[in-house]
Amino acid sequence: MSQPLIVPIGEKVKLADFDPSYKGKYKRKRDVQGKLRKTINKIIELQELLYSDSNNSLLIVLQAMDAGGKDGTIKHVMGAVNPQGCDVKNFKAPSVEEAAHDFLWRYHFAAPRKGKIVIFNRSYYEDVLVVRVHNLVQKTVWSKRYNQINNFEKMLVENGTTILKFYLHISKDEQKKRFEDRLNRTNKHWKFSDADLRERQYWDQYMEAFEVVLSKCNTKVAPWHIVPANNKWYRDLVIGKAIVKALEGLDMKYPEPERDFSDIEIKD
Ligand code: ATP
Ligand code: MG
């Protein structure tokens, strides 16, 4: 059975209905390698056009449970893009300075300028995920944020930013496997933290918090992509293709030359 990547606006998402191991018509990594390479080459080409045209920008929002594959996605899908045109912003718990502002302040500041791609590795959605799960602020405060996020995204879109939001959907078993892998390989030890195990105990609460986000903040201007992410190769292909589709949908062209070049002769 096929599984939707984007659900209809207003529909209540139940994550149990989404298979994290879904891989469409493909069976194994080998089946998509050529496609993925072509997709990445297309992104490289479109990024250059985005930069030279400089009328639009692209914000990519990545959210997932720990070990969900945010870092891997950035490395594999965006790793070959010209670093001059693409920034990655990682968001952790807010600093004292950041916490003294409204919760969207630091994200707005990091949003892409025209011509650029910015990837948010975690985002303002943490302010209704970890914050909700651990009651880091009162419910009266976080419950207003869904609407505030929708309005913020609408404002960005109206100002020329395309927003692509990806929830990398892994199973609890897959998370266990990935943590074990980090423990078993010395070159992966640095990726493991006790905090990951602490948060794993709240798996169900996180799923619930994600379901609310994926339902309430799934808007026409900035819909959520629910990406089956147990298979890294399928995840990369799905995200790569969504990026190509979004960039191809923009009205972009290389700028006209400032003058007629036909009389220019480059002397030896
Ligand atoms: P990795 O583990 O792959 O290096 P990461 O994104 O998990 O990357 P960590 O430093 O492990 O980075 O975790 C960042 C932590 O910051 C997460 O536990 C996250 O929930 C927390 N965090 C992010 N945004 C907020 C926020 N707005 N309020 C409170 N905590 C937040
Ligand atoms: Mg972490």
Side-chain angles (χ1 to χ4, degrees), residues 66 122 191 193 196:
D66 290 306
R122 299 187 189 268
K191 273 199 154 246
S193 83
D196 292 342

Side-chain angles (χ1 to χ4, degrees), residues 255-266:
E256 293 290 328
E258 281 171 20
R259 68 179 192 79
D260 184 4
F261 290 158
S262 58
D263 60 336
I264 295 181
E265 188 196 336
I266 315 277

Side-chain angles (χ1 to χ4, degrees), residues 152-201:
F152 172 64
E153 290 182 339
K154 184 163 179 278
M155 183 276 294
L156 289 183
V157 171
E158 285 173 355
N159 283 278
T161 299
T162 297
I163 305 176
L164 283 174
K165 304 187 294 196
F166 299 107
Y167 164 62
L168 314 183
H169 185 39
I170 59 161
S171 61
K172 200 174 177 189
D173 275 354
E174 180 64 21
Q175 189 193 51
K176 182 170 184 235
K177 265 200 248 161
R178 292 185 187 183
F179 282 166
E180 282 170 351
D181 187 54
R182 289 177 183 185
L183 288 172
N184 291 335
R185 291 162 61 176
T186 44
N187 64 341
K188 291 271 178 120
H189 284 174
W190 63 277
K191 273 199 154 246
F192 187 81
S193 83
D194 283 338
D196 292 342
L197 292 187
R198 231 174 15 248
E199 292 313 298
R200 180 172 164 81
Q201 295 175 336

Side-chain angles (χ1 to χ4, degrees), residues 66 70-71 91-94 106-107 122 126-127 130-131:
D66 290 306
K70 295 182 276 88
D71 291 348
F91 293 101
K92 318 256 173 191
R106 61 174 177 158
Y107 307 105
R122 299 187 189 268
E126 292 293 334
D127 297 85
V130 63
V131 168

